[in-house]
């Protein structure tokens, strides 16, 4: 595995799971991501109520700081491939899934096309995205609102996080 300095682009990726063994699902995703880049850090894991349909299992959510040489479109495509390989099983919008990978931010780019919007359009509304990214970068700024994630988190009306793990951010063997 290459060191992070060998990679050109930095991104933040949210990861979630509520079907099957979340640890195995996370590990599979992280192993596959490390084949296309370098997972520098992972946030604490948060146990959360579902966003969207409430008649489903609670989620485990986290975020990763990721480095790669793939530009955003190729990275996004590879992330979709990883979801497919792990059998995402997403049949309902915001519904149950084995793995969910969302590209929250890629460098400081703002992109909107028929395939992807970066930064992620609703990350600033979800504590289970804001808090894990704050674990990775306490000064993180949302490129759309120009506000810190800390400020956005303090202004949220609806909360989904039930509890957080005791896990440290300095993981090496994943989960």
């Amino acid at each position: 595995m290459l060191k992070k300095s060998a990679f050109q682009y930095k991104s933040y990726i949210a990861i979630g799971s509520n079907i099957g063994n979340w640890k195995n699902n996370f590990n599979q995703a992280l192993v596959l991501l490390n084949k296309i880049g370098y997972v520098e850090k992972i946030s604490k894991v948060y146990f959360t109520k579902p966003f969207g349909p409430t008649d489903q299992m609670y989620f485990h959510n986290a975020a990763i700081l990721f480095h790669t040489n793939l530009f955003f479109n190729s990275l996004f495509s590879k992330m979709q491939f990883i979801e497919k390989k792990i059998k995402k099983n997403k049949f309902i919008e915001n519904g149950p899934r084995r793995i969910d990978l969302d590209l929250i931010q890629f460098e400081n780019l703002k992109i909107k096309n028929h395939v992807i919007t970066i930064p992620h359009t609703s990350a600033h509304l979800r504590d289970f995205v804001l808090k894990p990214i704050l674990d990775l970068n306490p000064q993180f700024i949302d490129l759309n609102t120009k506000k810190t994630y800390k400020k956005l988190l303090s202004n949220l009306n609806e909360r989904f996080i039930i509890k957080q793990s005791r896990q440290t951010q300095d993981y090496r063997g994943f989960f």
Side-chain angles (χ1 to χ4, degrees):
M1 179 174 33
L2 297 171
K3 298 285 185 202
K4 77 174 181 182
S5 60
F7 298 101
Q8 186 174 359
Y9 304 113
K10 176 173 81 172
S11 60
Y12 290 86
I13 299 171
I15 183 170
S17 175
N18 77 335
I19 294 177
N21 183 315
W22 71 269
K23 288 182 181 182
N24 287 342
N25 299 339
F26 276 29
N27 282 333
Q28 285 180 57
L30 294 169
V31 165
L32 292 169
L33 282 167
N34 265 325
K35 291 182 179 190
I36 59 168
Y38 175 77
V39 175
E40 178 182 354
K41 281 194 223 177
I42 188 161
S43 71
K44 292 180 179 176
V45 177
Y46 294 85
F47 186 63
T48 67
K49 296 183 291 186
F51 180 90
T54 57
D55 59 339
Q56 59 180 314
M57 301 289 290
Y58 283 18
F59 278 81
H60 288 86
N61 288 285
I64 63 171
L65 175 56
F66 185 67
H67 300 270
T68 186
N69 285 326
L70 299 175
F71 203 51
F72 75 89
N73 50 345
S74 296
L75 174 58
F76 183 70
S77 176
K78 294 286 187 182
M79 288 168 54
Q80 289 181 312
F81 174 78
I82 290 168
E83 289 176 330
K84 186 176 181 180
K85 187 168 179 128
I86 300 172
K87 297 179 176 72
K88 180 175 184 170
N89 291 349
K90 182 179 175 184
F91 301 111
I92 303 166
E93 184 69 26
N94 296 314
R97 52 199 161 254
R98 188 174 316 282
I99 197 71
D100 189 34
L101 298 173
D102 288 323
L103 186 54
I104 303 302
Q105 189 166 301
F106 185 89
E107 288 291 319
N108 287 322
L109 297 180
K110 289 180 81 172
I111 296 129
K112 183 173 179 132
N113 63 37
H114 66 285
V115 177
I116 188 170
T117 302
I118 304 171
H120 191 282
T121 55
S122 55
H124 67 285
L125 303 172
R126 301 172 180 178
D127 62 342
F128 57 86
V129 175
L130 297 171
K131 186 72 176 108
I133 288 181
L134 282 169
D135 290 344
L136 303 173
N137 179 352
Q139 281 76 45
F140 196 87
I141 295 174
D142 181 74
L143 297 176
N144 288 327
T145 65
K146 306 289 192 244
K147 294 179 182 176
T148 65
Y149 265 30
K150 193 176 206 176
K151 178 76 169 168
L152 291 168
L153 183 61
S154 70
N155 290 334
L156 279 183
N157 291 327
E158 191 170 13
R159 304 292 175 125
F160 296 89
I161 294 174
I162 305 293
K163 66 180 180 176
Q164 73 180 30
S165 70
R166 293 188 200 109
Q167 162 208 344
T168 65
Q169 295 173 28
D170 188 24
Y171 81 102
R172 283 295 163 241
F174 305 132
F175 300 98

